[in-house]
Amino acid sequence: MSNSFATIQSIAASTFRKTRDNSTTVEKDEEGRLVLAGDAFEEASYPKYLPTWDTSEHHEPLTLFDFVDPGTKADPALPNLLPVDGSQKVKRLTPKFGSEVRGVQLSSLSSAGRDELARLVAERGVVVFRDQDFADLSIDEALKFSSHFGRNHIHPTSGAPKGYPEVHLVYRSKNDSVYDSFFEDHISSIAWHSDVSYELQPPGVTFLAMLDGPETGGDTIFADATEAYNRLSPTFREFLSTLEVFHSGVAQAQSSRAQGGIVRRDPVENFHPLVREHPVTGKKSLYVNPQFSRYIKGMKREESDAILNFLYDFISKSSDIQVRASWEPKSVVVWDNRRTLHSALLDWESGERRHAFRLTPQAEVPTASFAKK
């Protein structure tokens, strides 16, 4: 198991630990669900998004569905998203990767505007939208919005609002002890990954909306897997394009059970091309991550580990293909899981709550070349 996977699971387990004042964070309600204990409901800015874990919940395996990326239908000039006469402000965070947008309200976008959003995110990798009312929508409205970009994914182990397993919640309780306990055994919280890459149809355009967070800290860093691919030599790129990688969700499910959590759906494993092509831009990206990628098909373990570890090391150390998204109030970060890796940062010890929700539409089956397909 990779250090990245162990890091994420250790931090995720904090929900089920006691806080610094030794109070319990989770208890069972009258229906047998695991819910947050104490004053969490009264103190949360958005209690409708507080996590629950239904131990009786079970879903059948996900089925294959037809997917057409809405970005392929978009006007490249983005007139509905970023009109020429609009008041929006767009700042490129780096020349090739990452943008910040102010003056565009995601919830008000037309269907054409959402298509253009998919195209913008495909082109820029990650886009930070400020001053959003996204969290004020009803959960049904939020899920309807995200369904424009694909089928909303149901995470197999994470907490979710009662009755809404399609919503993945990020929650660190007030005064929890995770910072103290985690850094007793680790020196870094960096854990690069691409969300649920083990699925047959992993996510594409992905949304994370911040509800409560520390005044400073808890940023998310992103790495550009497209530029990472381009940096490699043509010979190495050609070789990597012939390879498939085994992605597995088994360890994630086992970890959840071991911590007293839930497993909504039996874990899955799939082979995906190490290099995938994007349906909107036609660009190639590396598609590996240390949390869920296990080995390269047809290679001996030492050979596979040498290649994968080289790629992980290259991506993690290349600050010149990375961008850091900071979390202002009412921010929504939108990224494309097909061409990025990311990691949350555990860098604040002030005891402030961090609460966010993720909407994770699934996209196409990863493909090395759409022309060959």
Side-chain angles (χ1 to χ4, degrees):
M1 184 183 302
S2 71
N3 290 333
S4 176
F5 179 83
T7 296
I8 288 178
Q9 296 309 307
S10 178
I11 295 173
S14 66
T15 305
F16 298 98
R17 295 194 183 106
K18 292 183 180 295
T19 60
R20 285 172 171 168
D21 60 6
N22 208 37
S23 60
T24 301
T25 57
V26 174
E27 62 187 9
K28 283 191 175 183
D29 66 8
E30 63 276 3
E31 297 176 334
R33 293 185 185 86
L34 295 173
V35 297
L36 296 176
D39 299 325
F41 190 88
E42 290 78 10
E43 295 178 350
S45 298
Y46 292 89
K48 66 185 179 184
Y49 277 111
L50 286 176
T52 66
W53 299 263
D54 188 345
T55 56
S56 66
E57 183 180 2
H58 185 77
H59 294 261
E60 294 301 313
L62 296 177
T63 56
L64 187 69
F65 73 99
D66 292 332
F67 174 80
V68 176
D69 195 299
T72 61
K73 301 178 289 183
D75 184 334
L78 312 180
N80 299 281
L81 178 66
L82 304 174
V84 175
D85 58 350
S87 59
Q88 72 278 347
K89 296 181 179 179
V90 182
K91 179 174 71 173
R92 293 191 302 169
L93 299 178
T94 74
K96 296 182 179 180
F97 185 57
S99 295
E100 181 185 71
V101 178
R102 296 181 187 271
V104 173
Q105 198 60 252
L106 293 175
S107 63
S108 300
L109 291 177
S110 64
S111 179
R114 297 178 193 189
D115 292 345
E116 293 167 13
L117 172 62
R119 185 176 186 94
L120 175 65
V121 175
E123 292 172 344
R124 297 298 297 168
V126 55
V127 184
V128 182
F129 288 89
R130 303 298 190 189
D131 305 314
Q132 297 297 301
D133 63 4
F134 206 64
D136 298 319
L137 300 176
S138 70
I139 296 179
D140 288 313
E141 289 172 327
L143 288 171
K144 182 179 179 180
F145 176 92
S146 60
S147 68
H148 184 90
F149 304 89
R151 180 177 66 188
N152 286 310
H153 179 256
I154 296 177
H155 196 280
T157 65
S158 67
K162 181 180 177 180
Y164 292 99
E166 303 90 348
V167 179
H168 170 89
L169 292 176
V170 176
Y171 188 84
R172 181 178 160 192
S173 63
K174 179 181 178 181
N175 291 323
D176 77 7
S177 59
V178 62
Y179 184 95
D180 308 323
S181 59
F182 180 79
F183 286 111
E184 286 180 359
D185 301 315
H186 302 82
I187 61 173
S188 173
S189 64
I190 302 301
W192 291 106
H193 64 286
S194 178
D195 293 320
V196 297
S197 63
Y198 48 76
E199 298 288 7
L200 178 61
Q201 291 178 268
V205 177
T206 305
F207 302 83
L208 186 65
M210 188 59 60
L211 304 171
D212 287 309
E215 182 178 354
T216 183
D219 293 351
T220 305
I221 52 174
F222 292 86
D224 186 355
T226 300
E227 183 63 14
Y229 170 80
N230 292 334
R231 295 282 179 87
L232 302 174
S233 68
T235 301
F236 197 37
R237 292 201 303 260
E238 183 177 357
F239 171 61
L240 294 180
S241 296
T242 67
L243 305 178
E244 291 187 342
V245 177
F246 187 68
H247 297 248
S248 175
V250 171
Q252 185 182 68
Q254 292 173 338
S255 178
S256 182
R257 287 194 180 103
Q259 295 161 12
I262 63 170
V263 178
R264 294 188 181 89
R265 179 165 44 85
D266 293 339
V268 297
E269 300 174 312
N270 282 290
F271 282 101
H272 293 313
L274 193 155
V275 177
R276 68 182 295 179
E277 184 177 301
H278 200 288
V280 176
T281 65
K283 294 180 179 180
K284 305 281 190 178
S285 300
L286 299 176
Y287 195 60
V288 291
N289 70 89
Q291 185 180 12
F292 299 121
S293 301
R294 294 291 178 263
Y295 60 85
I296 298 173
K297 185 177 183 179
M299 287 190 171
K300 294 185 177 181
R301 288 306 177 103
E302 292 87 348
E303 297 167 338
S304 172
D305 288 347
I307 293 173
L308 291 178
N309 288 333
F310 165 78
L311 295 175
Y312 299 154
D313 187 62
F314 159 50
I315 292 170
S316 67
K317 290 180 178 178
S318 298
S319 297
D320 52 353
I321 62 170
Q322 298 172 14
V323 71
R324 182 165 175 154
S326 61
W327 289 101
E328 296 178 8
K330 295 186 177 296
S331 293
V332 176
V333 175
V334 190
W335 71 94
D336 195 322
N337 260 302
R338 294 167 290 189
R339 58 157 298 184
T340 64
L341 291 85
H342 62 278
S343 174
L345 302 183
L346 177 62
D347 60 350
W348 78 103
E349 54 182 329
S350 53
E352 295 165 277
R353 178 187 295 103
R354 188 174 189 267
H355 184 198
F357 71 94
R358 191 183 80 200
L359 304 178
T360 320
Q362 293 175 258
E364 76 279 359
V365 177
T367 302
S369 172
F370 288 99
K372 291 182 181 179
K373 182 179 178 182

